[in-house]
Amino acid sequence: METIQEPVSNVLKILGEPKAAPDGWRWTNHLVFQEVGEGTLAFNTLTRELALLSPEEFGSPDECLELQERWFRVPASIDDKSSADLVRLVLESLHQRPEHVTTYHVFTTMDCNARCFYCYEKDRARPTMSVGTAHKTADYIVRHCGGNKVRLAWFGGEPLYNAQVIDLICNDLVERGIGYESSMISNGFLFDEKLIKRAAELWRLRQIQITLDGTEGVYNAVKRYVDAGEKSPYQVVLANIRGLLDAGVRVIVRLNVSRANAKNLLALVDDLEARFAGARLFSVYCAMTSEFDGIDIVPMREDATKELSWSIKNLDLRLERAGLLERRGIKAKIPMAQCMADSGGSLTVLPDGHLGLCEHYSEDNFVGSIDSDELDESVVQSFRERGETMPRCATCFEYPTCIRLRKCPFSAKCLPETVALAKTTLQDGMVSMY
Ligand code: SF4
Ligand code: SF4
């Protein structure tokens, strides 16, 4: 047994010595396996240990005592869910939420120059941040970051539609001596040479996520830019990706995969490979889109989800062969929060100065405003409420790390197909670590 990622020592301490096994030993339910050329990778989602097992160890695991000592093998009668509950209880009691808010998702505007059919924001109001609100946002950040370096994420709508407020906030932070760096989710169309330079230098833009929906014809038809003029938006965006990479900005392309465009995306990958293969800062990942009905999440029919999961696996393989697949690795520790909404160190700033916790609640569920130093604790707590477990959680590999926030529009419901996809992603991360 060869350890690739060490177990978390605190977790092993909480679990203690393995008990006697009068009924024999079995693999814990918290394992994910992945065959590789030299043997089988095994990842324990509770202890976080990743190990390579030889064919002999995998075939006759009871011959390898280390597998029992490291909680890969457990007594047959043990309740895995109770072990995970105990570990989480202790870790959560030791965990301290951050004292200062150092991550800010700033919505510069809710307006956008594209008209994607799947956009969940399309029927919402489109306010834009004013100059005054931008200055007050910077002031709020200075008051609440405790002098620490802050991480800014520019969000919208299309954040570049109101780039002047990004300049103002960054300039104010520079003047006040606050360190920062930023990331952005953008369609990438409004960049030009000058703006890319400003993004790299003044905004300290380190990473940008840009969504592509297909090859030139498909992309232009889906995006339906209102300001494209004679230009082909596809060509503009791909040229801007090249410019951003040359300026040292990491570009992550998100492929929005639906049953309608899955085949076309394979052709898009051909084009991306031709243009960006070997670019160190460039990567691509796939995301499902057809679970949106344009406004909200809708349960996907089982056959549709299966077909889409298969398409994504196929695209991942193609991206992998091209050396473009975004590698996510595996987390070394059990996460104590699901995301920005329950982490305690993060806020969203809406165009009118309201403060929120989740980037998908831009019209309600606010926790405060940049004009006040108080947060509404009842709303803060409501974002930390977790969903009930289900019978199938008892044997699910994800249970030790699974946090389902009641208010999260994406993870509140658990579909077997999305769990299967999460497993594939984890296996991919295991191979990457290996
Ligand atoms: S909610 Fe779903 S993913 Fe989480 S532990 Fe239960 S079955 Fe697994
Ligand atoms: S949508 Fe869900 S995962 Fe995303 S920030 Fe909101 S609560 Fe967190």
Side-chain angles (χ1 to χ4, degrees):
M1 173 178 165
E2 182 194 331
T3 296
I4 294 154
Q5 176 168 284
E6 291 290 338
V8 179
S9 59
N10 272 355
V11 173
L12 288 184
K13 274 188 209 149
I14 298 165
L15 289 169
E17 294 288 315
K19 312 273 179 311
D23 304 322
W25 298 84
R26 62 167 171 82
W27 297 110
T28 166
N29 289 321
H30 302 144
L31 279 185
V32 175
F33 293 110
Q34 173 64 47
E35 272 184 45
V36 286
E38 296 77 2
T40 303
L41 291 173
F43 177 58
N44 187 324
T45 58
L46 180 60
T47 66
R48 317 305 291 166
E49 181 166 3
L50 174 65
L52 175 68
L53 311 183
S54 66
E56 296 72 33
E57 287 163 340
F58 186 60
S60 309
D62 288 339
E63 307 293 310
C64 178
L65 283 184
E66 233 184 326
L67 287 172
Q68 295 166 10
E69 288 160 12
R70 306 287 274 260
W71 291 85
F72 284 82
R73 302 281 291 171
V74 293
S77 55
I78 209 169
D79 176 4
D80 287 329
K81 186 166 170 284
S82 300
S83 307
D85 286 341
L86 173 70
V87 168
R88 284 208 71 101
L89 189 73
V90 177
L91 292 181
E92 277 170 19
S93 69
L94 297 171
H95 176 69
Q96 287 186 328
R97 287 212 157 80
E99 201 183 329
H100 302 290
V101 182
T102 52
T103 301
Y104 294 86
H105 292 238
V106 182
F107 288 71
T108 67
T109 176
M110 300 310 285
D111 207 355
C112 183
N113 52 343
R115 295 289 181 267
C116 310
F117 70 89
Y118 50 72
C119 179
Y120 62 89
E121 282 166 357
K122 70 178 171 191
D123 293 325
R124 296 184 181 181
R126 294 174 173 248
T128 283
M129 186 176 277
S130 68
V131 166
T133 304
H135 286 304
K136 283 201 275 179
T137 297
D139 199 44
Y140 186 92
I141 294 171
V142 175
R143 290 201 311 275
H144 292 86
C145 71
N148 296 299
K149 179 177 175 177
V150 292
R151 289 195 303 168
L152 304 164
W154 311 112
F155 222 79
E158 169 50 50
L160 296 177
Y161 231 30
N162 190 15
Q164 65 157 343
V165 300
I166 305 181
D167 293 342
L168 291 174
I169 293 171
C170 291
N171 276 323
D172 284 2
L173 292 180
V174 170
E175 264 175 39
R176 310 279 290 270
I178 297 296
Y180 64 91
E181 59 182 26
S182 75
S183 61
M184 176 181 279
I185 294 185
S186 164
N187 56 44
F189 179 69
L190 291 172
F191 277 114
D192 57 24
E193 209 178 313
K194 261 165 96 183
L195 195 57
I196 288 174
K197 192 168 168 0
R198 223 158 87 209
E201 291 173 4
L202 175 61
W203 306 352
R204 302 179 194 169
L205 189 69
R206 303 290 181 252
Q207 179 174 305
I208 184 165
Q209 179 186 298
I210 293 176
T211 296
L212 297 177
D213 308 272
T215 50
E216 188 160 13
V218 173
Y219 176 84
N220 291 348
V222 169
K223 284 285 182 256
R224 295 186 296 143
Y225 284 99
V226 295
D227 51 359
E230 296 299 303
K231 298 179 218 156
S232 162
Y234 177 83
Q235 297 299 342
V236 172
V237 170
L238 289 192
N240 285 339
I241 289 176
R242 169 52 65 199
L244 287 157
L245 291 169
D246 291 345
V249 179
R250 180 164 143 71
V251 179
I252 301 176
V253 164
R254 172 185 154 123
L255 299 185
N256 269 347
V257 191
S258 70
R259 286 194 294 169
N261 73 347
K263 210 167 156 197
N264 177 264
L265 287 174
L266 286 167
L268 172 65
V269 176
D270 292 343
D271 194 10
L272 295 179
E273 183 180 22
R275 293 177 192 240
F276 304 116
R280 192 176 53 86
L281 296 173
F282 181 81
S283 59
V284 185
Y285 79 99
C286 297
M288 288 192 189
T289 50
S290 67
E291 74 267 45
F292 291 101
D293 67 0
I295 298 170
D296 208 347
I297 304 291
V298 289
M300 222 193 285
R301 283 198 343 264
E302 197 180 319
D303 57 338
T305 319
K306 276 198 181 129
E307 188 184 327
L308 206 49
S309 302
W310 185 89
S311 297
I312 289 179
K313 270 189 204 164
N314 199 25
L315 270 162
D316 279 351
L317 281 173
R318 175 69 189 91
L319 286 165
E320 167 123 52
R321 274 207 309 277
L324 301 179
L325 185 66
E326 162 77 357
R327 293 272 182 203
R328 304 218 157 188
I330 47 180
K331 291 194 175 90
K333 290 188 176 164
I334 296 179
M336 291 290 104
Q338 141 89 356
C339 59
M340 56 188 285
D342 61 338
S343 73
S346 219
L347 284 172
T348 58
V349 185
L350 281 303
D352 63 358
H354 272 109
L355 298 173
L357 288 173
C358 165
E359 56 201 29
H360 289 277
Y361 286 97
S362 56
E363 294 188 319
D364 51 25
N365 281 274
F366 301 127
V367 293
S369 132
I370 50 172
D371 295 320
S372 157
D373 289 332
E374 302 298 319
L375 292 184
D376 184 336
E377 274 307 310
S378 63
V379 185
V380 172
Q381 288 306 326
S382 72
F383 273 100
R384 294 182 184 164
E385 279 174 26
R386 297 179 183 182
E388 299 293 327
T389 56
M390 302 176 287
R392 66 188 155 90
C393 300
T395 53
C396 178
F397 72 94
E398 274 217 287
Y399 185 71
T401 50
C402 180
I403 300 174
R404 295 204 173 259
L405 302 181
R406 276 189 201 283
K407 276 194 166 174
C408 176
F410 295 97
S411 73
K413 294 177 199 144
C414 172
L415 301 173
E417 291 72 22
T418 47
V419 180
L421 204 57
K423 189 172 185 175
T424 308
T425 308
L426 191 54
Q427 288 168 320
D428 194 46
M430 289 159 60
V431 174
S432 169
M433 293 286 293
Y434 172 58

